[in-house]
Structures are given as structure tokens and as C-alpha cells.
Amino acid sequence: SKSLSILKKEAFRDHFIEEQLKLRGHVSEKKLGRFGWTEWAAFGSVEQDDFYLDTGLACSPGNAAFGENVRLRKQGEAWLLYFKSRAEHQIFSHRHPLLVKVAPEDARQILQSYPVTQRIKKLRKHFRRERGSAADLVFVLHLDTIEGLGKFTEIRTLCSPGTTHTTELFQLATELGFKPYDIVEGSYLALATSSPKAADSASSDK
């Protein structure tokens, strides 16, 4: 199997960058429908159990908000290994992602080989919206309920260096009723390690 260091190199070879806006709170599904968002049937609603690993490749906990991270995710019956590069933007992330499906026995071996620094459980519901005359730009929206942290919304898309969609992400969030103070900088890992009271500020619906 490929080593984690090789996976990291392959992530940086990919020309795509993940761009996202993370927000506190949820918007109703009825409102999502009014603005053209449809449930993404291929993914639907799914429980995710993320094990963040100390592999020697990722950042120290103190840099968790914007640093690299490696996680093993149990999603339904599937196991997925994620590498995400250091965020290049405080608000919009701009990370190089890589996802590899692994067999259950390999997942067990990974968990035995690397210490788990944080475990985050969430329920995620997937929506999508196409934009552009040829529907060539796809935005994905996640309604996330994080155990111990509260409710969050992520709006994301893929971009390439030099071509970003920050204006569109802001517009999509604004039309759904989100305000600038709803924006969350950093990752769920950062919230889990440094903000034990995050649930108090992430419980509202829009």
C-alpha cells in the first residue's frame, strides 16, 4: 500500500484546490430548495466518524486551525483516508485534498500504527447547486451537526490556482441569510481542540 508521505505528494500534484466557507448554524431545507439547492442523492444524510492521526506529517495541535491534517473516516460501512494540506487562506481554506478508500483491515492497521489525537463525530447532509450557463460550476453544501460542537454549514467548490470563487461563495451564503459574524475560521479540529463552548454559538437555525 502507498505510504502516507506518497499520498501527501500526490495531493500536491492535483491541480484542484478545495475552496469553502464554513458558517455557524443551519438553514432550513425548505429555504435551500427555494434558492435552487437540491439534496445530493448519491450521498444523502450520513454519519461520519473522523479519527485525526498523529502521523508525523501533519501539524501540531497548536496549529490545528490552518495546518495539515490526516484523518481516517468511517462513513457508513466504508473507511476513507484523507490528507488535507495546510490552508492557504484563513476564511476560504484553499487546501489540496486527497481521499483514498481503504479496506477495513487496513483501517484497523492504520489505527494501531498512529496515535489518534482527536475524534470527531458528525451527521452530514449533502446538497448541491449548479451555476453557469452550461452548469459547469458545482457548489456543494453540507449541513453538519457535530457532536459536542453544534450545527454548522459548509459551502464548498473546487478551484484551480489563479481561479477562485470567493465572490460566489459569499453570495450563496448571504442569500441564505448568513452574516459575516457567522463565518468560522479554521477547521472542526481547531474548534474541537480549542473551543469547548463552540456549541453555544453554533446552535441557531437561519
Side-chain angles (χ1 to χ4, degrees):
S1 62
K2 297 180 179 179
S3 69
L4 293 177
S5 59
I6 293 176
L7 293 180
K8 176 178 178 178
K9 290 178 182 178
E10 290 190 357
F12 279 97
R13 289 196 191 103
D14 197 322
H15 296 296
F16 292 105
I17 297 172
E18 185 179 83
E19 185 176 27
Q20 73 172 25
L21 195 56
K22 191 189 303 293
L23 305 141
R24 293 180 178 86
H26 276 183
V27 63
S28 72
E29 293 184 31
K30 183 177 180 180
K31 190 172 186 178
L32 287 175
R34 289 204 307 268
F35 286 99
W37 292 92
T38 57
E39 186 174 353
W40 198 348
F43 297 96
S45 182
V46 64
E47 292 184 355
Q48 297 177 341
D49 194 356
D50 286 344
F51 299 82
Y52 287 82
L53 307 174
D54 181 2
T55 64
L57 297 176
C59 65
S60 65
N63 294 325
F66 306 108
E68 295 174 359
N69 67 70
V70 179
R71 79 191 81 162
L72 187 65
R73 171 176 293 172
K74 190 174 190 297
Q75 181 168 292
E77 297 302 316
W79 286 93
L80 307 166
L81 182 63
Y82 275 87
F83 169 81
K84 286 195 175 184
S85 70
R86 179 176 178 79
E88 299 172 11
H89 194 286
Q90 278 189 284
I91 295 177
F92 294 99
S93 185
H94 292 180
R95 294 180 187 263
H96 294 267
L98 186 68
L99 166 65
V100 178
K101 188 173 183 178
V102 297
E105 56 270 22
D106 292 331
R108 287 192 291 271
Q109 182 61 45
I110 291 170
L111 290 174
Q112 291 172 1
S113 301
Y114 300 101
V116 175
T117 60
Q118 189 73 38
R119 185 176 179 180
I120 298 177
K121 296 182 180 182
K122 65 176 172 286
L123 177 66
R124 168 169 287 180
K125 195 157 191 176
H126 298 76
F127 297 82
R128 59 178 286 155
R129 178 175 170 180
E130 298 175 349
R131 297 193 68 169
S133 57
D136 54 352
L137 180 58
V138 176
F139 290 91
V140 177
L141 184 146
H142 299 148
L143 295 181
D144 290 338
T145 302
I146 314 293
E147 186 176 293
L149 292 179
K151 296 178 180 180
F152 297 86
T153 297
E154 288 185 340
I155 306 174
R156 65 172 60 170
T157 190
L158 294 177
C159 64
S160 56
T163 305
T164 61
H165 305 290
T166 55
T167 299
E168 291 96 327
L169 288 170
F170 267 132
Q171 290 174 342
L172 291 170
T174 299
E175 71 181 15
L176 291 174
F178 290 101
K179 306 297 182 184
Y181 53 74
D182 292 316
I183 295 172
V184 177
E185 295 185 13
S187 62
Y188 291 140
L189 175 61
L191 289 175
T193 55
S194 64
S195 185
K197 295 183 180 180
D200 293 338
S201 60
S203 60
S204 62
D205 290 330
K206 303 298 174 184

